[in-house]
Amino acid sequence: MPDIRLVVDDENLDLRLDSYLAANTPLSRSQIQKLIENGQVLLNGSIPNKKIKTELNDIIEFSYEEKTLTDILPENIPLDIVYEDEYLIVVNKPKDMVVHPAVGNYNGTLVNALLYHCKELSDVNGYYRPGIVHRIDKDTSGLIVCAKDNFSHSFLSEQLKDKTCFRKYFAIVSGVIENNGGEINAPIGRNEKDRQTMCVTSKNSKEAITEFSVLERFDDSTLIECELKTGRTHQIRVHMKFINHPVVNDLKYGRKKIDETGQYLHAYYLSFIHPKTNERMEFETDMPQYMKDYISLKRGKNIG
């Protein structure tokens, strides 16, 4: 098993060290706690107190090998490749695919597919997230860019931080939005009552800005376009819930469950500067069929 090295980003601040590692590696919290107690985990080069909380750009390192821990294996999973060169690959991720391995999801992830398809992937984010520059939720479909080398990875990551990487989504939300558009500027942080969810809060939160515009209204829902100005975990889902228009079929933040497939949210547009050519690249992908089917059903009651 290779050494594990993680760098804390601004979506994972103020978490207990064991909670952060349990969420970002395939190890359980109890396994992590044993490693910390045994002095096998280094935080910024030193052995940490077990109650310490994460801070931005913390470097966490440890090695671990156990027979019960599953290695990440390449899998011949078909990929919808939108663009590829020797530096990066842009993929249209389907709904119901996890981006990288974690507890309970060692197989069938985008990483497993990338390992089969690509000869090289960056290792900036450690062994369990090779090539992964940014993530989208399991039940969100759409465009994601992955890096094949560390320079490209860092170059693309910087664009996410300085907001020169642009991402737009189609979303179908509950209720009829009266305004034609707007900006939601509300900080997002971990939900203290449920650490698996995020919420709008002033405590231990980060700036979060989502712009949206109405594309079409139906009898009880609205098709919108959202553009992320920041990149917080579950940002669109949390912000739309905050204004009382949660994403349709969002099993975590929504109202009414249509089926088990998850939220009607698709990352259709992605734009960034290429790490080698310095040219701006733009990619778009069509709305997925499950959203088209929903819209077709609703158009019979369309209110404009």
Side-chain angles (χ1 to χ4, degrees):
M1 179 69 62
D3 290 341
I4 295 172
R5 182 180 185 273
L6 297 172
V7 180
V8 176
D9 59 26
D10 57 7
E11 293 183 7
N12 290 281
L13 304 181
D14 202 39
L15 299 177
R16 279 181 52 124
L17 182 59
D18 56 353
S19 297
Y20 168 78
L21 289 175
N24 287 278
T25 74
L27 302 178
S28 69
R29 190 167 176 176
S30 61
Q31 288 174 311
I32 291 294
Q33 288 172 341
K34 285 184 180 179
L35 290 174
I36 295 173
E37 291 170 2
N38 292 336
Q40 294 174 259
V41 176
L42 295 181
L43 176 65
N44 300 321
S46 301
I47 297 174
N49 181 293
K50 64 181 180 180
K51 294 184 179 180
I52 199 166
K53 292 190 176 181
T54 56
E55 296 182 3
L56 184 63
N57 294 324
D58 275 345
I59 298 174
I60 303 165
E61 299 171 290
F62 66 95
S63 296
Y64 187 74
E65 186 170 3
E66 187 179 68
K67 292 180 180 179
T68 58
L69 187 61
T70 303
D71 287 329
I72 304 174
L73 300 176
E75 294 181 55
N76 187 10
I77 301 170
L79 287 173
D80 182 2
I81 298 171
V82 177
Y83 174 83
E84 183 179 13
D85 60 27
E86 60 184 301
Y87 306 100
L88 56 87
I89 180 170
V90 177
V91 175
N92 183 22
K93 186 190 81 69
K95 199 172 187 178
D96 199 35
M97 174 182 270
V98 176
V99 170
H100 61 79
V103 175
N105 286 295
Y106 297 113
N107 307 108
T109 73
L110 178 61
V111 163
N112 295 107
L114 288 171
L115 287 172
Y116 183 90
H117 178 81
C118 302
K119 293 181 179 180
E120 299 289 341
L121 290 169
S122 67
D123 61 5
V124 171
N125 272 341
Y127 179 68
Y128 298 102
R129 293 186 284 181
I132 302 302
V133 177
H134 65 109
R135 291 171 284 179
I136 55 179
D137 298 332
K138 172 188 174 186
D139 292 325
T140 297
S141 57
L143 297 172
I144 183 169
V145 59
C146 303
K148 295 185 177 182
D149 62 83
N150 289 352
F151 174 81
S152 297
H153 190 130
S154 298
F155 190 92
L156 293 167
S157 294
E158 284 301 315
Q159 292 180 63
L160 290 169
K161 293 177 183 177
D162 63 22
K163 301 180 179 62
T164 56
C165 175
F166 304 113
R167 292 169 288 167
K168 297 179 183 180
Y169 291 70
F170 289 130
I172 302 174
V173 300
S174 300
V176 180
I177 299 178
E178 299 296 334
N179 297 332
N180 289 331
E183 178 183 276
I184 307 169
N185 188 338
I188 292 176
R190 294 276 173 184
N191 188 338
E192 291 187 340
K193 296 180 180 179
D194 179 3
R195 300 297 290 181
Q196 298 302 310
T197 64
M198 310 297 287
C199 66
V200 171
T201 177
S202 59
K203 187 175 182 181
N204 297 323
S205 59
K206 299 293 290 185
E207 178 188 43
I209 302 172
T210 304
E211 291 184 354
F212 72 91
S213 57
V214 170
L215 301 178
E216 190 171 354
R217 297 181 178 92
F218 311 111
D219 65 319
D220 61 354
S221 53
T222 308
L223 172 64
I224 63 174
E225 177 192 80
C226 295
E227 182 171 358
L228 293 179
K229 298 300 183 181
T230 55
R232 310 302 169 208
T233 300
H234 301 168
Q235 180 172 315
I236 293 173
R237 300 165 66 190
V238 172
H239 270 172
M240 298 316 297
K241 177 183 179 180
F242 179 67
I243 65 169
N244 296 315
H245 291 285
V247 178
V248 166
N249 205 41
D250 190 330
L251 307 183
K252 191 182 292 288
Y253 298 102
R255 296 175 184 168
K256 181 181 178 182
K257 183 170 70 173
I258 296 175
D259 54 43
E260 300 295 332
T261 62
Q263 61 273 2
Y264 282 35
L265 184 61
H266 176 69
Y268 86 92
Y269 176 87
L270 178 65
S271 175
F272 55 82
I273 298 170
H274 193 280
K276 179 65 175 179
T277 66
N278 286 316
E279 295 180 358
R280 177 157 293 279
M281 308 190 75
E282 295 182 277
F283 303 97
E284 289 191 28
T285 184
D286 195 17
M287 183 183 293
Q289 192 61 45
Y290 67 90
M291 292 180 70
K292 290 181 179 179
D293 291 343
Y294 179 94
I295 290 170
S296 294
L297 288 172
K298 288 294 180 179
R299 278 182 173 154
K301 299 179 181 179
N302 199 346
I303 61 173

